[in-house]
């Protein structure tokens, strides 16, 4: 497998050096692996901190900036960051109004953020946490680590980020974040397995004529494997899986997300099919975002995330945002 | 009796064992996880061996609490907090004694293992590191060698289990038939303890 890297050990640091060079509006601490918006801490504003394993770019560092995250801490590839990074990020963005940790529900992320929250509170920083768990492919959470956090992370970070930017207090930012998570569901499919830099070969074997349904974002196999389907058939399957669980009674936000190696040509085509299915099911779509946002290195495939919104959430979604990977309205 | 130097040698022996077995751990992890358990622990225990050598804590408890803190700061993922908690809590339970005997270590280790269970919310049979640690903690009351054998047997016994915690749990039935990487690395830690004891001429 050919990769555009120097050595596996430095891929994260190398990427952060590149981010620093391309985005002078961010403060990138390459050594400690913390990316902070340049003007932090913003007086009176709740700080929003997220992080997780690297390999999901632009999540999370690509979402740092006005209107979204205050800081992000990237871990090793597919490995959660360590508490030291999170505490450093919290300290850098706390203006006294408190800090919200946005955590994807994966065991490592949850444990490290919990430890970080305790350490940050020891330093006098008020910390709240919201755990994102939107993946309907994990159905029986009694016998698993619970639903994974995937595409809804972007919705939570954008909408809670907008609330924080408006000066909402910590408890309000927390309740907005929880509402978005509670109203969002996702389902993902893989057309190819992922190759991590450290391993250098695909982490699971997916034959050419098959696809994997219900995958997460770490190259872990999904809940079932089938012969390859058309874009329309995949949209039927994925959207129905989401709707079966979400049962929206009003308009939704839709994220049609690429896993990293699927071109926009295919993603837009898939988005058309997602719109067709939602139309057939009588679900109005208020906004659609199409692109590679919550990725899994070089995995081919896509995921659908739907969030049932009300007027307030839609207003916050439309609010200006200015980050490396998401920007509008400014 | 076991002094701070013994615990430093235990940490160094674990670092050596993890180094040697890193590829194997990663191979096990690629079957049911995300293929980084070996490299993550390698990074952590290399840092542990270095810091306990450099800071030379004076008591067994201080060696283990420092080692635990170092793991939490360097590993990430789930293994960082879990292994970090195991060593930190065992170290805390050892208190400030300059020397401890195996019995005292066995009791402290059991507290550390219990803390791991609490943090991860896992139980025996969930196909996690606890499946090696719980039998090891019990056997440590009798002998070092017995603890190592119990840990290894516990790790082997995870093969037919279905994972209920951690990332492997998402595989459901497809996790059956693979040895748990966390239980395997936990067995390395306990085997390193037994080797350190044997090398130092401490009772079997």
């Amino acid at each position: 497998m050919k990769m555009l890297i120097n050595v596996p050990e430095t891929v994260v640091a190398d990427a952060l050096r590149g981010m620093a060079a391309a985005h002078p509006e961010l403060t990138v601490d390459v050594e400690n692996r913390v990316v902070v918006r340049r003007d932090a801490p913003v007086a009176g504003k709740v700080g929003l901190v997220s992080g997780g394993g690297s390999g999901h770019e632009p999540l999370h560092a690509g979402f740092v900036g006005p209107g979204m995250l205050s800081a992000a801490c990237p871990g090793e590839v597919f490995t959660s960051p360590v508490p030291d990074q999170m505490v450093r990020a919290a300290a850098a963005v706390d203006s006294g109004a408190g800090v919200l940790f946005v955590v994807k529900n994966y065991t490592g992320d949850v444990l490290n953020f919990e430890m970080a929250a305790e350490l940050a509170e020891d330093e006098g920083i008020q910390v709240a946490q919201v755990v994102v768990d939107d993946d309907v492919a994990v159905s029986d959470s009694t016998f698993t680590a619970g639903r994974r956090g995937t595409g809804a992370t972007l919705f939570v970070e954008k909408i809670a980020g907008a609330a924080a930017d408006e000066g909402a207090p910590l408890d309000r930012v927390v309740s907005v974040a929880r509402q978005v998570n509670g109203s969002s569901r996702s389902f993902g499919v893989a057309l190819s397995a992922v190759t991590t830099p450290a391993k250098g070969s695909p982490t699971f074997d997916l034959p050419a004529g098959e696809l994997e349904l219900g995958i997460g974002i770490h190259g872990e196999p999904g809940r079932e494997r089938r012969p390859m389907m058309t874009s329309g058939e995949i949209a039927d399957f994925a959207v129905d899986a989401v709707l079966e669980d979400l049962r929206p009674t009003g308009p939704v936000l839709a994220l049609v997300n690429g896993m990293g190696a699927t071109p926009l040509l295919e993603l837009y085509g898939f988005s058309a099919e997602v719109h067709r299915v939602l139309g057939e099911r009588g679900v109005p779509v208020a906004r659609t975002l199409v692109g590679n946002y919550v990725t899994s290195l070089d995995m081919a495939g896509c995921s659908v995330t739907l969030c049932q919104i009300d007027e307030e959430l839609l207003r916050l979604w439309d609010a200006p945002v200015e980050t490396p990977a998401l920007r509008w309205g400014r | 009796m076991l002094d701070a130097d013994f615990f430093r040698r235990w940490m160094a022996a674990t670092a050596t064992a993890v180094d040697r077995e890193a590829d194997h751990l990663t191979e096990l992890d690629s079957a049911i996880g995300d293929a980084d358990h070996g490299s993550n622990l390698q990074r952590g225990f290399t840092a542990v061996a270095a810091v306990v050598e450099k800071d030379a804590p004076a008591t067994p408890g201080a060696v283990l609490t420092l080692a635990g803190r170092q793991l939490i700061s360097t590993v990430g993922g789930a293994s960082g907090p879990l292994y970090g908690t195991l060593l930190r809590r065992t170290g805390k339970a050892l208190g400030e004694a300059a020397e401890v005997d195996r019995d005292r270590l066995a009791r402290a280790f059991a507290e550390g293992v219990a803390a791991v269970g609490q943090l991860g919310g896992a139980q025996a049979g969930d196909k996690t590191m606890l499946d090696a640690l719980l039998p090891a903690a019990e056997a440590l009351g009798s002998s070092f060698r017995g603890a190592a054998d119990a840990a290894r047997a516990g790790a082997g016994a995870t093969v037919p289990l279905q994972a209920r915690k951690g990332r492997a749990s998402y595989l459901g039935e497809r996790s059956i038939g693979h040895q748990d990487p966390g239980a395997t690395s936990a067995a390395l830690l306990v085997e390193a303890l037994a080797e350190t004891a044997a090398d130092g001429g401490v009772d079997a």
Side-chain angles (χ1 to χ4, degrees), chain A residues 41-106:
Chain A
V42 180
K45 180 188 161 317
V46 168
L48 226 71
V49 173
S50 193
S54 292
H56 307 303
E57 290 70 25
L59 189 77
H60 294 276
F63 298 145
V64 174
M68 215 162 163
L69 292 178
S70 313
C73 2
E76 290 292 323
V77 172
F78 290 174
T79 301
S80 87
V82 298
D84 309 41
Q85 289 170 270
M86 300 155 183
V87 173
R88 209 177 276 267
V93 305
D94 181 40
S95 67
V99 172
L100 172 64
F101 285 163
V102 179
V103 186
K104 297 192 299 304
N105 190 34
Y106 279 96

Side-chain angles (χ1 to χ4, degrees), chain A residues 190-193 204-212 225-228:
Chain A
L191 310 186
S192 74
F204 64 95
D205 175 44
L206 187 54
E210 297 182 10
L211 85 169
E212 187 88 35
R225 188 170 283 191
R226 289 195 185 182
M228 190 55 200

Side-chain angles (χ1 to χ4, degrees), chain A residues 78-80 84 112 145-146 212 222, chain B residues 34 36 40 73 76-77 169-170 174:
Chain A
F78 290 174
T79 301
S80 87
D84 309 41
N112 283 284
E212 187 88 35
Chain B
D34 59 354
D36 61 5
N40 283 346
S73 294
S169 67
Y170 299 125
R174 290 156 85 180

